[in-house]
Amino acid sequence: MAHTVIPDNTGDHLMQQAMVDLVITGTDRVTANGDVCNKIGAYLKALAAHDSGVPFYVALPSPTIDFLISDGVRKIPIEQRSADEVATMTGRTAEGKIATVRIVPDGSPVANYAFDVTPSWLVSGSIDRARRVARRSRGVGSGFSGVGRESWIEGQA
């Protein structure tokens, strides 16, 4: 598959310039209504895709579906990670030594959310492991043979 590696926030600009055909993101958790929880920034990519008319698909392995939650924006707890991930940087000094330095002022509070939730209305569809595509209107579990609410709850999905 032809592709180009870009810095994280360049995708928004490329979508705006009609240089992106579609977006495919992964998922850590998907709710019964199709809200998608993924690494922080996925929601902004979905907004940019929607605004630019670019389809936004989710690569959706069946174990990530949580049929017990219907509103991911309000019900999925979002992990906050260590402030040091944002407040410090490790690199090589001019003398060639490895050092960790603080890059924000002392005493500055840091919020480091690990995930965000993309509402289902921004998701064009999902792609399962067998490369089957389910459109948003069909529902999150519709494309998975043998996977239903009962098997998820019983842990057999």
Side-chain angles (χ1 to χ4, degrees):
M1 177 182 288
H3 67 281
T4 302
V5 177
I6 58 172
D8 195 27
N9 287 320
T10 304
D12 308 342
H13 169 72
L14 296 177
M15 284 186 257
Q16 191 178 50
Q17 300 302 312
M19 297 173 70
V20 175
D21 297 319
L22 72 124
V23 176
I24 301 173
T25 187
T27 182
D28 288 272
R29 192 173 191 181
V30 176
T31 64
N33 73 331
D35 295 339
V36 176
C37 182
N38 199 23
K39 303 302 179 278
I40 196 80
Y43 173 51
L44 287 176
K45 295 295 176 267
L47 286 170
H50 179 76
D51 189 60
S52 302
V54 175
F56 185 88
Y57 285 89
V58 176
L60 176 63
S62 59
T64 64
I65 303 171
D66 187 338
F67 288 105
L68 300 177
I69 294 179
S70 60
D71 184 349
V73 174
R74 303 220 173 4
K75 299 291 184 181
I76 294 176
I78 302 298
E79 172 189 356
Q80 282 207 54
R81 294 194 174 156
S82 169
D84 286 343
E85 291 181 11
V86 175
T88 63
M89 181 176 281
T90 301
R92 190 177 308 276
T93 67
E95 296 79 30
K97 296 183 181 188
I98 303 296
T100 299
V101 297
R102 186 167 176 86
I103 58 173
V104 300
D106 287 337
S108 292
V110 174
N112 186 16
Y113 293 93
F115 303 93
D116 58 24
V117 177
T118 302
S120 62
W121 65 269
L122 288 170
V123 179
S124 303
S126 58
I127 305 167
D128 71 6
R129 288 184 177 163
R131 296 186 201 113
R132 293 175 295 205
V133 176
R135 301 282 182 233
R136 174 177 43 140
S137 61
R138 291 183 56 204
V140 70
S142 63
F144 298 97
S145 61
V147 176
R149 187 176 198 281
E150 296 76 22
S151 61
W152 174 265
I153 292 170
E154 294 169 11
Q156 299 172 8

